[in-house]
Amino acid sequence: MNQSMQILKQALTETNYRKLLAIPNERVHKFVADAIQLCKPMKVFVCNDSKMDTEYIRRTAIARGEETPLSNPYHTVHFDGIHDQARDKERTVYLVPKDESLGKHLAQMDRDDGLKIIQERLNNSMDNKKMVIRFFCLGPLDSIFSIPVVQITDSFYVAHSEDLLYRHGYEYFRRIPADKEIFWMLHSSGKLIHSVSTDWKKRGVMIDLKENTVYSMNTQYAGNTIGLKKLALRLAIRKANRESWLAEHMFLMAIHGPTGRKTYFAGAFPSGCGKTSTSMVRGNTIVGDDLAYLRVIDGKVRAVNVERGIFGIIRSVTQKDDPVIWDILHSNQPAIFSNVLITEDENPRWLEDGLDPPSVGINHSGEWFLGKVDRDGSEIPFAHKNARYTIGLDGLANLDDALDDPRGVVVGGIIYGGRDQDTSVPVQQSFDWNHGVITMGASLESETTAATLGPSGVRAFQPFSNLDFISIPLGKYIQNHLDFVKTTKQVPEIFSVNYFLKDKKGNFISDRLDKTVWLKWMALCIHNEVDVIKTPTGYIPTYSDLKELFRHHLAKDYSRDDYELQFAIRVPELLDKVNRIENIYRDTVADAPKLLFEVLDEQRNRLLAAQKKLGKYITPSTFV
Ligand code: OXD
Ligand code: MN
C-alpha cells in the first residue's frame, strides 16, 4: 500500500474510503491524502452526487451555524465576517517560478515563498473540523468543454453553494481517463468565532499555476472560496490560451427576434455592472450569467455556461425590474442568501428592494437597528451592498433549453459593457473583430463596485471585464483573442454597451429597462435588418429604428432629444480615453500586440478628423 493509501485508510471511515476509491484516479487519492496530512481534519466526508449526500451538506451547514434557516424551508442565510464581504484582489496572488513574470497588472509572488505560506496557514487548519471532498464538472458533462474539478473545503456553506451552482461530477470522475486535466481546490475558513472566519488578516487566495491548484485560506466570502467560480477561471484562462480557446467573464443568452429566431450573445461586464440583469431581460432566454467558455468547433464559435446556477448581487433586485429573479427568490426553489438582513419574521431583506426599509433585524454586524453605527461612527446599512443570492438555474422561467448541450450554442455576438458616466454611447457595433477586441474589449474601463474590497466608484482599467482573473501576461491574452477567429468564417459581431451615462447633474440619462432595446437592436444588426450610422468609434442605431423598438418592446415614446443626448459623440472624452488606454499599454504591458497601437491610432485619427469638421460634441444625425 503506498503512502497516500495509508493516510486515506487511517483518516476515512470505511464508507468514505470506499466512496473515494470508487474514483480510480491516483492523482485524486494523492491530492486528498496530502490535504489530510496538511490540514489534519477531525473527520472526512466524501460527497457523491446522491440527494442523500447533498442534503447532508445542507443540513450540516445549518447545524454548524454557517447558515440560518428562514421562514421558507428551502431558504437559508449565510453571513460573512465584517471584513470579508467581497473579493480580495490584493491578497489573491499567482505563484510563479523565480525567472518568470506575469506582467505589471497581475499580483504574483515567488512560488517557493507562496508554498511556504500555504503550509503554515493550512497546517492543522481543520483540526476540529470535518473536511468535505466534492467532485464537479465545469461546463456540460462529457463535452469538449468539460473540466473536472476536485473541491476540498471545511465549509459546509461553500460545499452547499457549489451544490446549487455547479454540475455534479462524482460519477463523471469515475469515467474520465486517468490523464485527464483536473483543477484542484483546497479551502479552509481557518479559525471561526460564531461560525465566521476571524483570521482575515491572514486571508489569502494563492494560485499554483504549475500544479493547477488553488488554495484559499481564512476567508468565507464565496468569491474568494468557491473554487469553481473565479478561482478555476484563472486556471481555465491559462488552459484556454494554451489550447486556443477563450475562458471569459461573460453571460450567455439568446435574444429572441422576430418569428421566434434566437441569436446567442456572450456579454462581458465587470462585477456589479449589470451582467446578471442583462442576461435576464424579459422576452429572451438565459444560458448563464457569469462565466462562459468559447471554442471554435466546425468553423463556428460555440459557447457553454461553465456553471449551472447564479451567485447574484441582490441589491436593487425589485419585483418591477427583475420579475424572474424576484419570483424565484419568493418560490420554493432552494436559495442561500448572504449578507442580507433577517427580519423578525425570518424573511430576507436587501437594499433597494422596493419595499419600506426595516428598522430592526439581524445582519452581518449582528443585531441591527436603524441608526446603528460602526467603530468609525459610520451608519451600518441594514444589508451589505454586496449581499448575494445563490440559486440553481433550474427553476427559472426564462431558462434556455441549450443549457446542457455538450456542443454549446453558436455565438452571434459578443458584448462589452462597463460603468462609464461620460464617454461611450449606450450601444454600438464595432467595425470588425480586431476593432472590437481592441477598442471595446482591451480598452474597457469601469468604475469599481462593492464586489471587490476597496473604494467604489473609481474609474479603473478593466480589459475584457476579466482583468481580475487574467493569469497570463495581458498582451498574450489579447493576442489569443485576436487569433481566436482565424479559422472561422462565421465571426461573431462585437458590440459595446453603456448603461451608466449621466447628465451634468449626475442623473442617469437612460432607464434600467432600456437595455431591452439595445439587445434587440444588436440581434437585428447581426441579421442586417437595421440601418446603421457610421461614427468614428463604431456603428450606432438610427433614431427611427430605436423609436420603433422602444414602442414595440417597452411601450415607450422615445424622444429625439433623448436619442441626441445619449448617442452624441463626445470627442474630448473619447480622445482622452484613447490616450489613457494607449499609455497604459505602452507603459505597463510589455508584450502588447503592435496591432493594438495601430487600431487605437486609427480610432484617434477618426475622432480628430470628425472634431475638425463637426466640433467636439457631435449629434448622431450629423453622420447620416
Ligand atoms: C462575481 C464577481 O461574484 O465577479 O461574479 O465578483
Ligand atoms: Mn462575476
Side-chain angles (χ1 to χ4, degrees), residues 6 50 107 158 183 200 218 260 289 296 304 327 383 419 423 435 465 526 545 581 598 619:
Q6 272 170 20
S50 69
V158 168
F183 290 173
W200 59 273
N218 298 316
D289 85 311
V296 175
V304 294
D327 285 351
R419 254 173 215 269
T423 307
H435 178 249
S465 304
I526 286 180
D545 284 332
I581 298 295
E598 287 165 18
T619 55

Side-chain angles (χ1 to χ4, degrees), residues 87 229-230 249 271 290 311 388 451:
R87 277 192 286 110
K229 206 169 210 0
K230 297 306 186 331
H249 191 203
S271 314
D290 196 39
F311 172 60
R388 301 279 183 141

Side-chain angles (χ1 to χ4, degrees), residues 508-528:
F508 289 114
I509 60 172
S510 49
D511 291 339
R512 269 189 79 184
L513 288 180
D514 291 358
K515 52 170 110 48
T516 311
V517 168
W518 316 144
L519 291 172
K520 296 291 184 193
W521 178 79
M522 287 185 267
L524 294 172
C525 236
I526 286 180
H527 299 284
N528 295 316

Side-chain angles (χ1 to χ4, degrees), residues 359-568:
S359 52
V360 287
I362 306 283
N363 75 2
H364 63 282
S365 73
E367 207 158 313
W368 178 87
F369 47 87
L370 194 62
K372 184 174 180 184
V373 292
D374 63 18
R375 266 198 223 152
D376 303 329
S378 310
E379 187 157 345
I380 303 175
F382 69 83
H384 196 274
K385 279 187 192 161
N386 192 30
R388 301 279 183 141
Y389 60 91
T390 300
I391 53 169
L393 286 172
D394 276 323
L396 289 178
N398 58 344
L399 185 60
D400 194 84
D401 52 13
L403 171 63
D404 288 317
D405 188 334
R407 280 168 57 83
V409 298
V410 176
V411 177
I414 289 178
I415 308 171
Y416 292 103
R419 254 173 215 269
D420 154 15
Q421 43 179 298
D422 58 10
T423 307
S424 299
V425 291
V427 62
Q428 63 182 335
Q429 183 186 11
S430 73
F431 299 128
D432 55 36
W433 179 263
N434 288 349
H435 178 249
V437 165
I438 288 164
T439 68
M440 295 172 180
S443 301
L444 204 115
E445 295 177 305
S446 191
E447 287 163 30
T448 50
T449 69
T452 53
L453 295 174
S456 295
V458 181
R459 181 165 53 204
F461 178 54
Q462 193 37 276
F464 303 87
S465 304
N466 215 2
L467 184 64
D468 295 3
F469 318 112
I470 290 175
S471 47
I472 51 178
L474 188 50
K476 200 168 167 190
Y477 173 84
I478 295 171
Q479 192 60 50
N480 189 34
H481 270 72
L482 295 171
D483 294 342
F484 178 60
V485 294
K486 286 218 163 118
T487 58
T488 164
K489 289 210 181 70
Q490 216 172 303
V491 179
E493 296 294 339
I494 297 184
F495 299 86
S496 73
V497 294
N498 180 15
Y499 307 152
F500 299 95
L501 276 174
K502 289 184 179 167
D503 62 17
K504 292 215 167 64
K505 290 192 192 132
N507 300 316
F508 289 114
I509 60 172
S510 49
D511 291 339
R512 269 189 79 184
L513 288 180
D514 291 358
K515 52 170 110 48
T516 311
V517 168
W518 316 144
L519 291 172
K520 296 291 184 193
W521 178 79
M522 287 185 267
L524 294 172
C525 236
I526 286 180
H527 299 284
N528 295 316
E529 289 167 358
V530 278
D531 291 329
V532 293
I533 300 173
K534 186 169 184 189
T535 77
T537 57
Y539 299 114
I540 61 168
T542 64
Y543 171 63
S544 56
D545 284 332
L546 289 185
K547 187 170 172 60
E548 174 52 22
L549 288 168
F550 269 101
R551 191 195 59 74
H552 186 77
H553 295 286
L554 295 176
K556 186 167 157 182
D557 188 13
Y558 184 58
S559 72
R560 188 171 273 280
D561 284 353
D562 276 351
Y563 175 70
E564 305 267 310
L565 181 67
Q566 293 168 354
F567 286 88

Side-chain angles (χ1 to χ4, degrees), residues 229-242:
K229 206 169 210 0
K230 297 306 186 331
L231 315 192
L233 175 60
R234 294 170 168 99
L235 299 177
I237 288 173
R238 276 179 94 80
K239 180 171 164 65
N241 189 260
R242 244 178 9 248

Side-chain angles (χ1 to χ4, degrees), residues 109 111-123 202 206 217:
M109 73 185 296
R111 180 168 185 266
D112 295 333
D113 294 345
L115 291 176
K116 266 191 222 132
I117 295 176
I118 291 166
Q119 292 294 318
E120 275 163 30
R121 291 194 189 161
L122 286 180
N123 187 25
K202 289 190 179 163
M206 294 194 171
M217 301 161 291

